[in-house]
Amino acid sequence: MNNDLNLSAQRLSSGALHTVPDGRGTLLLCLAGTLWLTQQGDLRDIVLEPGDEALIEHEGLSIVSALSDACFLLLRGPRLAPRP
């Protein structure tokens, strides 16, 4: 088991995108700026401000969009079993 904790923040310029393929179980934490999270199979659009977090709950592609210059963490936990 790998117990290393890697907290490498990622930066996005306003209007830029970051894709998260098959990210179910990944926690998105907004550190600065404003982010917009969309998930395949989910009709919700989630907007995050600094200090906000959102759990990616669906398999498939998720897209993190920067509504302003932003900084965020993606914390990947153990893979969850697929939803029935």
Side-chain angles (χ1 to χ4, degrees):
M1 175 190 278
N2 183 351
N3 291 324
D4 293 343
L5 182 59
N6 183 357
L7 297 178
S8 179
Q10 300 185 47
R11 297 186 183 280
L12 284 179
S13 297
S14 182
L17 304 175
H18 179 85
T19 58
V20 184
D22 298 320
R24 185 166 183 227
T26 300
L27 186 67
L28 171 62
L29 176 60
C30 181
L31 301 175
T34 304
L35 298 170
W36 176 17
L37 172 65
T38 57
Q39 303 176 63
Q40 183 175 340
D42 190 338
L43 297 177
R44 297 175 299 156
D45 290 320
I46 302 168
V47 175
L48 297 99
E49 299 286 342
D52 291 343
E53 60 185 42
L55 181 65
I56 297 177
E57 300 172 338
H58 297 272
E59 292 292 338
L61 183 64
S62 295
I63 299 174
V64 179
S65 305
L67 299 178
S68 65
D69 290 347
C71 184
F72 64 95
L73 291 173
L74 286 173
L75 303 175
R76 301 179 192 273
R79 296 289 288 181
L80 302 173
R83 286 187 168 175

